[in-house]
Amino acid sequence: FRSIRFRPDGRNRMHFAYRLEREDGSPAEPAVLQTAVPNWRPGDTIPLGAGRTLRVVGTRLKESPDGDPVPVLVVVESA
């Protein structure tokens, strides 16, 4: 599973963007995660603040309309 690297602020920090989806394939909220973490795995948790956390239950790659791979984290709300 590979991530797409980008530098939105022009600095030397590396960022990774993941699409977040529910198990049924619908977009999660938020729909995109931008993070410095390059390797999310099932069981990892994503703290969103305000007492809200997502748990990663799977990973997959989807194809964008231009044929590029899009990394996806499949997530569920964590209690």
Side-chain angles (χ1 to χ4, degrees):
F1 187 75
R2 295 183 321 152
S3 301
I4 298 172
R5 295 178 284 167
F6 68 100
R7 297 180 198 192
D9 56 9
R11 294 188 262 174
N12 283 333
R13 293 189 323 216
M14 199 95 86
H15 294 271
F16 300 87
Y18 295 89
R19 182 180 296 168
L20 299 180
E21 293 183 353
R22 296 183 183 107
E23 291 177 290
D24 66 3
S26 64
E29 178 57 42
V32 175
L33 175 67
Q34 297 178 11
T35 179
V37 178
N39 55 345
W40 293 91
R41 293 185 173 87
D44 289 344
T45 56
I46 303 168
L48 298 175
R52 189 163 170 242
T53 303
L54 299 176
R55 183 171 45 88
V56 178
V57 295
T59 61
R60 58 181 166 225
L61 284 175
K62 286 194 168 180
E63 191 172 302
S64 71
D66 59 1
D68 290 331
V70 177
V72 176
L73 298 178
V74 181
V75 297
V76 296
E77 292 282 339
S78 183

